[in-house]
């Protein structure tokens, strides 16, 4: 594989310029103004937060999906059923970002009324970065738990072929003037992360999968070749991925990983959102100090290596935001050119 | 470490005999009849299901906790607050099994009324095997999601000292005439499992932690010595463990892992139970076939090794039940003697 130096080919572009370019492109592909604004903002903010894989870098693929007809740009979700604190919505193959935003809003609304709320969404598209919705709900004072199923991209435990999705799980809640937000797929590394490492000729930090000979390996090229990425915790992550898929399909009345995988593209996925309104709880006034105390204790951990700071999930985001807002968002020249050509 | 052969010292005892012995002992330690019956049944059934570590093998420790005053045998949970579909209960340091049973019942009740329900329980004791409550709710047609925090027994990522609990997470739902039930701690292996392997002079199946030199190892003795077990998926399981602890403490208004760890014993833990009543959903009539189809596809995975069957979470339980009901429950002679002396 060719060795590249990312720095050589990376340029810095202001969030405003990126968002404005996205907005123009989305209008061109049929988005209404308000929706083009929302989508372009979230793609941009994901990159500001440092999640480039589901921000700027993913935008060309999103547009390709629109061109190929997998995403109905102006479809809106429709309510299928409502029972108590649960709503089931059909995403009607609209843009995954807008459907997930809608589901998050509905879910917070249900939680405001019932303490806890659940929205299950069928027939939707990739939400890009689940952490975005988690952060949004957490900033408004909610506990947020959500997951999505995906195309099959990971084997069951003791299996060779991919029949499980890596089904990202998001958990977020308020913390100080920010949030704690965990956003994790069930695979140890995404294929995107492994491809980047492979291009740079780097090894993974830990084993990331099996090679073709069935040996655990930290060589990303070998895993890309074998298509056998490792679930987190081996049999445990595989089990959790299976359960998240079943619950998504069952609760949303939507497609499961094996059905998604039989289509020609990863679309019509199923998602579950659960919100809890912390303000409704009797102990609300104590919650901020409970969270502070836990994080304070956690951050007092003795580091293995003093250079590696102990951080909580989502902590890097603030630093990324600060840097990217100041310096601009790093974008590979080739990707920016691809976007300008859309 | 001394090498043992478990088979040499293991005897088979009928579930009836075990339960009857537990019942007598619990009466002796002050349990009311109905509670002694419930507790003795669950300890026995956990062993029938093959979860010996949280069945018969754990019973002497449970009694020791009673003797030491950590468990109030006749305390009952009291309602702290109720808002919509959420209830917060104080476990009043009663037996963890009985508190968890109560929370599961209340949670199913809330789900029957609201589609989804949540019970958060503070000040409770070890629930032994969370999968028991998951199976119970799933058999009644509910999705069950629950977790507990624990004493600190796992380091944060990049840390040496234990400030996280392994905080088991349970997810269960109905499947055919049985259930699918995932019951997983956030550590790759429990200390109980590692101690057993060490006694048998066996290696772990995969890396289970770091040794004193900071190297990943599959030697259980080295991990017991270093006290650095591995979270599932390294930083991911550590992050999930942290979030589960925060949510348990916040939602229950109870103690968090760092507070539990400052006590002289692992007691007054916090737990969260979430149930969804599948019968309430519009697509209820299709759910059984959705789950069947997913599992059918999953079980068609190509095995790495034809001797290792692909199984779904909880599948082993039925086989264990059948064998143990027929042959009796395997119990180490020394443990049975310890129980008879209680």
């Amino acid at each position: 594989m060719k060795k590249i130096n990312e720095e050589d080919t990376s340029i810095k572009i202001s969030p405003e310029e990126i968002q404005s370019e996205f907005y123009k492109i989305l209008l061109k592909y049929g988005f209404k103004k308000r929706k083009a604004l929302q989508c372009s903002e979230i793609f941009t903010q994901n990159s500001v937060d440092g999640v480039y894989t589901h921000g700027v870098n993913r935008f060309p693929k999103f547009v390709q999906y629109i061109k190929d007809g997998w995403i109905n740009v102006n479809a809106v979700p429709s309510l299928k059923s409502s029972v108590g604190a649960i709503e089931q919505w059909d995403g009607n193959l609209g843009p995954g970002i807008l459907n997930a935003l809608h589901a998050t809003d509905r879910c917070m609304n249900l939680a405001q009324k019932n303490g806890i709320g659940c929205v299950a969404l069928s027939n939707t598209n990739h939400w890009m970065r689940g952490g975005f919705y988690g952060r949004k709900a957490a900033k408004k004072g909610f506990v947020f738990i959500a997951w999505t199923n995906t195309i099959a991209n990971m084997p069951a435990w003791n299996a060779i072929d991919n029949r499980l999705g890596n089904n990202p799980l998001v958990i977020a809640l308020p913390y100080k003037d920010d949030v704690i937000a965990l956003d994790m797929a069930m695979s140890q590394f995404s294929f995107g992360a492994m491809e980047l490492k492979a291009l740079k000729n780097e090894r993974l930090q830990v084993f990331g999968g099996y090679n073709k000979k069935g040996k655990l390996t930290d060589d990303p090229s070998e895993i890309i070749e074998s298509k056998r990425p490792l679930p987190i915790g081996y049999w445990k992550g595989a089990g959790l991925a299976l359960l998240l898929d079943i619950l998504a399909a069952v609760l949303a009345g939507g497609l499961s990983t094996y059905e998604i995988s039989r289509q020609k593209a990863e679309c019509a996925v199923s998602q579950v959102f659960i919100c809890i309104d912390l303000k409704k709880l009797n102990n609300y006034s104590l919650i901020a100090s409970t969270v502070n105390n836990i994080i304070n204790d956690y951050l007092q951990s003795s580091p293995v290596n003093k250079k590696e700071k102990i951080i909580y999930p989502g902590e890097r985001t603030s630093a990324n935001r600060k840097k990217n807002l100041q310096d601009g968002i790093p974008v590979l020249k080739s990707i920016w050119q691809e976007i300008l050509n859309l």
Side-chain angles (χ1 to χ4, degrees), chain A residues 50-63:
Chain A
V51 188
Y52 310 110
T53 50
H54 292 90
V56 174
N57 295 1
R58 182 89 183 197
F59 191 77
K61 187 169 178 182
F62 178 70
V63 172

Side-chain angles (χ1 to χ4, degrees), chain A residues 3-291:
Chain A
K3 195 169 171 178
I4 62 158
N5 182 336
E6 201 194 3
E7 286 312 307
D8 285 351
T9 56
S10 156
I11 48 176
K12 302 278 173 105
I13 307 176
S14 78
E16 294 73 21
E17 189 180 345
I18 288 177
Q19 186 173 334
S20 146
E21 192 60 40
F22 287 172
Y23 179 71
K24 275 195 305 190
I25 293 165
L26 293 176
L27 289 182
K28 181 174 155 191
Y29 285 96
F31 274 71
K32 299 272 192 298
K33 282 185 182 174
R34 198 178 63 92
K35 293 185 169 192
L37 195 65
Q38 282 181 307
C39 264
S40 60
E41 188 188 341
I42 293 176
F43 269 110
T44 308
Q45 289 303 316
N46 287 348
S47 275
V48 172
D49 284 356
V51 188
Y52 310 110
T53 50
H54 292 90
V56 174
N57 295 1
R58 182 89 183 197
F59 191 77
K61 187 169 178 182
F62 178 70
V63 172
Q64 190 58 49
Y65 263 51
I66 296 171
K67 285 184 185 173
D68 292 344
W70 304 117
I71 298 171
N72 296 338
V73 294
N74 284 304
V76 292
S78 49
L79 185 63
K80 293 198 291 186
S81 92
S82 166
V83 46
I86 301 181
E87 287 180 357
Q88 294 177 306
W89 289 76
D90 186 322
N92 293 314
L93 294 174
I97 284 179
L98 300 179
N99 284 344
L101 266 184
H102 178 80
T104 303
D105 283 344
R106 284 303 313 150
C107 196
M108 288 191 287
N109 197 284
L110 289 167
Q112 276 170 335
K113 281 186 197 146
N114 305 284
I116 185 170
C118 175
V119 169
L121 182 60
S122 63
N123 230 1
T124 189
N125 278 303
H126 199 306
W127 66 10
M128 295 303 140
R129 170 188 171 221
F132 182 88
Y133 319 102
R135 298 183 80 85
K136 184 182 153 112
K139 287 222 166 187
K140 293 190 174 179
F142 294 84
V143 164
F144 177 92
I145 303 173
W147 61 95
T148 182
N149 60 12
T150 68
I151 207 163
N153 54 20
M154 203 171 73
W157 183 240
N158 286 326
I160 291 175
D161 52 334
N162 290 339
R163 289 181 187 258
L164 295 173
N166 65 356
N167 306 341
L169 170 70
V170 178
I171 305 180
L173 83 162
Y175 171 57
K176 292 185 172 170
D177 57 352
D178 197 26
V179 306
I180 299 170
L182 179 77
D183 184 353
M184 58 180 248
M186 296 300 127
S187 51
Q188 189 65 58
F189 298 98
S190 69
F191 276 101
M194 289 193 285
E195 279 159 10
L196 196 61
K197 283 274 190 185
L199 280 170
K200 292 185 189 173
N201 241 346
E202 289 174 7
R203 295 265 160 173
L204 302 167
Q205 196 176 350
V206 294
F207 288 149
Y210 293 89
N211 65 19
K212 282 209 142 180
K213 291 179 183 159
K215 286 258 181 209
L216 282 168
T217 178
D218 59 3
D219 179 340
S221 307
E222 287 191 344
I223 302 164
I224 291 164
E225 186 194 11
S226 70
K227 293 188 189 129
R228 286 183 62 191
L230 200 59
I232 58 166
Y234 305 86
W235 52 92
K236 291 191 172 189
L240 186 51
L242 175 67
L243 266 291
L244 293 176
D245 177 44
I246 295 175
L247 291 190
V250 160
L251 297 178
L255 300 192
S256 63
T257 287
Y258 88 91
E259 292 167 307
I260 296 162
S261 310
R262 286 179 183 178
Q263 304 175 120
K264 286 184 180 150
E266 188 186 47
C267 65
V269 303
S270 303
Q271 296 171 350
V272 179
F273 302 75
I274 296 172
C275 285
I276 295 172
D277 187 354
L278 291 173
K279 292 177 290 299
K280 295 279 176 196
L281 299 182
N282 240 11
N283 56 317
Y284 177 61
S285 63
L286 303 171
I287 287 175
S289 71
T290 298
V291 180

